[in-house]
Amino acid sequence: MKIKSETLEKLNDFLVTNIESKVLDGITYALAIEGDSLVEKGKDIKTSVLADGFDKNELFRVFKVSNGYVFDMDMSVAKFITQTIASHMGDRVPQEQDIIGSLPEKRRQEDMIALAKYCKQQHSKGITKLEIALFSRNRVPKIVITGKDSRGKDVVASYNAYAIRHWDIDEVNNKYLSPYGIAITSIKPCEVLPSRTGVRFELTLGSLY
């Protein structure tokens, strides 16, 4: 099954406009809040992908949260588009050359380990309810949100942030947390953060024994 040229053009525009060099860190997703122009654009891409005969979890995933969406391009497609663009640039990179390589998987593993470490630390303190950010688009491991409360006072919220998806939690549990006898027993998606640099999730930790 092949991607039709019209769909590929839409995916190309999505990567160039919304991802850019972040693809080197394994970030192939963009976050949108209801009302953003990206919402209709992302839905249109998904419609094209499905019309081409691909499954809902192939090429381009759409994940709905309370206030918006995550639009996530498959890494293989992102690599193909990136290499195609590079091959038409002055350096004439061969299209078959993988210029992204293992960088995305390295970032993913680093962030899964960091999340497991944080969970272990919090569990050891008796804390079993955590608020974190997944689908992080930041290079630093924090997302800081500033705003005002109902009384007009300045408030700051800070979240540990990880460039992983919620379906990576199984691997976090099996590979990094189970040796310590703990696990993330539930995960609740909440909302796209106002900065659009991550999605807030609520985690529950539990003991395996």
Side-chain angles (χ1 to χ4, degrees):
M1 192 178 297
K2 294 181 64 176
I3 308 175
K4 293 182 180 179
S5 58
E6 182 181 350
T7 303
L8 188 58
E9 287 178 11
K10 292 178 181 180
L11 290 166
N12 183 92
D13 179 67
F14 175 83
L15 186 141
V16 171
T17 304
N18 300 285
I19 308 300
E20 300 179 297
S21 63
K22 290 182 183 295
V23 70
L24 298 174
D25 281 330
I27 296 170
T28 57
Y29 44 81
L31 313 177
I33 292 175
E34 291 284 7
D36 292 350
S37 59
L38 180 57
V39 171
E40 292 307 314
K41 179 180 176 181
K43 288 181 178 180
D44 179 59
I45 295 172
K46 188 61 181 179
T47 298
S48 294
V49 168
L50 294 174
D52 286 357
F54 291 94
D55 180 81
K56 66 179 183 179
N57 290 323
E58 292 182 293
L59 301 189
F60 192 79
R61 295 191 184 196
V62 177
F63 178 57
K64 179 76 173 73
V65 294
S66 63
N67 68 336
Y69 294 85
V70 176
F71 298 108
D72 189 10
M73 178 186 294
D74 186 83
M75 177 55 72
S76 64
V77 180
K79 283 188 174 185
F80 173 78
I81 293 173
T82 301
Q83 289 159 206
T84 300
I85 293 172
S87 70
H88 289 88
M89 295 175 66
D91 51 9
R92 300 296 179 186
V93 178
Q95 188 168 338
E96 67 275 8
Q97 181 178 332
D98 186 354
I99 62 174
I100 295 176
S102 61
L103 292 174
E105 182 58 23
K106 182 175 183 290
R107 171 72 186 275
R108 176 175 173 269
Q109 292 295 324
E110 288 174 348
D111 279 20
M112 286 196 294
I113 291 170
L115 174 57
K117 181 178 179 181
Y118 178 63
C119 289
K120 181 176 178 291
Q121 290 173 340
Q122 298 305 102
H123 189 267
S124 68
K125 299 175 184 177
I127 300 171
T128 59
K129 301 289 185 180
L130 309 179
E131 289 190 3
I132 61 156
L134 300 182
F135 291 97
S136 173
R137 286 171 54 88
N138 284 359
R139 194 65 188 95
V140 294
K142 288 277 188 184
I143 295 176
V144 179
I145 304 297
T146 59
K148 294 185 181 296
D149 62 17
S150 59
R151 298 180 179 179
K153 293 184 177 180
D154 293 333
V155 293
V156 177
S158 177
Y159 303 95
N160 283 16
Y162 309 92
I164 59 177
R165 286 83 166 161
H166 55 291
W167 50 83
D168 290 320
I169 295 301
D170 283 343
E171 187 169 344
V172 173
N173 278 337
N174 296 331
K175 193 171 181 180
Y176 300 112
L177 285 178
S178 62
Y180 300 105
I182 61 176
I184 298 168
T185 57
S186 73
I187 177 166
K188 177 185 176 183
C190 298
E191 75 278 341
V192 175
L193 295 171
S195 60
R196 296 164 179 77
T197 53
V199 179
R200 184 174 71 89
F201 280 79
E202 295 177 357
L203 307 184
T204 302
L205 304 178
S207 299
L208 295 177
Y209 315 115

